[in-house]
Amino acid sequence: MTKLSVNINKIATLRNARGGNRPNVVQTALDCERFGAQGITVHPRPDERHIRFQDVYDLKEVVTTEFNIEGNPTPDFIKLVLAVKPEQVTLVPDAPDAITSNAGWDTLKHKDFLIDVIGQFKAEGIRTSIFVDPINQQVEGAALTGTDRIELYTEAYAHDYLTNREAAVKPYAEAARVAQQCNLGLNAGHDLDLGNLRYLKEQLPNLAEVSIGHALICDALYYGLENTIQLYLRQLNF
């Protein structure tokens, strides 16, 4: 089974646009779990423009599936994760002003830094995953950091899927094979949707988890949140 972790950042974006607490981020997380999601993902950024640090503490109190916190491991982020102790932390090298994540780690260049940060999290029993591009050398480099998993950055796959899905998925299938050889768990995320998700899963049989937010929330505007989560689950486990 490949788990679906719902990224609820967009719910926080909508809430923050108006002020107050509508929609309620915590209640949405609980509803996602009730509707079948096997995890909740948040990506707090330094400016708290969507998920706030307090949201992370509040969610930890109620999430009963896998809680996954994504982010750039700045000192404040590290402190937050060590305090909350989620089931998984996903390290993403995004700049503070990035609209969304846009690249994986250079695991060779940043090897020593990643070893240090990952060691801190694993000492507290937190499973670690690091965001990487589908490049074999970067996957092999990830294995040297001590991480438990990698998350393949799937924007390029999603972009090229409609024109040539076989070519689009090829580097991802190869990276997945290398990850398996390196005893790394495999996650994936970014721009995955109802159109391209099933094919990715078919080609990556060792895919443990996907994290999906933007497309899923957009689909929920038309189909409803409960039905949308079920539609995504069907694309993953068929």
Side-chain angles (χ1 to χ4, degrees):
M1 176 185 289
T2 300
K3 291 184 177 181
L4 171 65
S5 185
V6 176
N7 186 320
I8 58 172
N9 275 26
K10 285 295 182 294
I11 301 299
T13 300
L14 184 58
R15 175 200 61 189
N16 296 351
R18 183 69 179 265
N21 197 31
R22 188 175 184 182
N24 186 305
V25 168
V26 171
Q27 186 59 53
T28 300
L30 293 173
D31 289 337
C32 287
E33 291 183 315
R34 183 163 58 90
F35 298 152
Q38 294 118 339
I40 299 297
T41 292
V42 293
H43 189 143
R45 287 186 164 85
D47 60 6
E48 298 187 294
R49 64 180 181 268
H50 33 64
I51 288 292
R52 300 167 181 154
F53 277 33
Q54 186 58 51
D55 293 328
V56 179
Y57 288 104
D58 293 342
L59 288 163
K60 176 58 179 178
E61 295 298 315
V62 300
V63 170
T64 58
T65 58
E66 178 189 280
F67 192 26
N68 173 46
I69 305 177
E70 296 182 345
N72 192 326
T74 61
D76 285 344
F77 179 85
I78 293 172
K79 181 179 178 180
L80 174 69
V81 173
L82 292 176
V84 172
K85 293 185 174 61
E87 284 71 29
Q88 177 173 269
V89 59
T90 301
L91 308 183
V92 182
D94 55 351
D97 59 348
I99 295 176
T100 185
S101 305
N102 54 23
W105 286 96
D106 184 333
T107 58
L108 304 176
K109 179 179 179 181
H110 299 290
K111 175 184 172 183
D112 291 341
F113 173 72
L114 289 168
I115 288 173
D116 176 62
V117 173
I118 289 167
Q120 293 182 58
F121 293 141
K122 292 185 71 173
E124 295 298 323
I126 304 168
R127 186 174 73 230
T128 60
S129 178
I130 57 177
F131 207 53
V132 297
D133 296 305
I135 300 169
N136 292 350
Q137 294 89 338
Q138 296 300 336
V139 176
E140 292 166 348
L144 301 177
T145 67
T147 191
D148 300 295
R149 295 186 182 184
I150 58 169
E151 178 173 329
L152 291 177
Y153 172 45
T154 50
E155 182 184 24
Y157 164 75
H159 181 269
D160 296 337
Y161 175 83
L162 293 176
T163 55
N164 189 334
R165 68 178 190 173
E166 291 82 8
V169 84
K170 184 176 180 180
Y172 291 88
E174 178 65 15
R177 183 188 64 80
V178 174
Q180 193 165 39
Q181 290 179 339
C182 294
N183 295 315
L184 290 172
L186 185 68
N187 298 341
H190 206 89
D191 289 348
L192 297 176
D193 59 30
L194 289 173
N196 59 41
L197 183 57
R198 179 167 181 158
Y199 185 68
L200 182 74
K201 169 61 189 291
E202 289 174 343
Q203 303 303 311
L204 277 61
N206 55 323
L207 184 60
E209 177 184 304
V210 293
S211 173
I212 304 178
H214 184 77
L216 189 150
I217 299 303
C218 290
D219 288 332
L221 294 175
Y222 291 91
Y223 304 132
L225 184 59
E226 180 175 10
N227 189 39
T228 297
I229 288 174
Q230 290 300 310
L231 289 171
Y232 275 85
L233 289 170
R234 288 173 201 158
Q235 297 304 307
L236 284 172
N237 302 296
F238 40 85

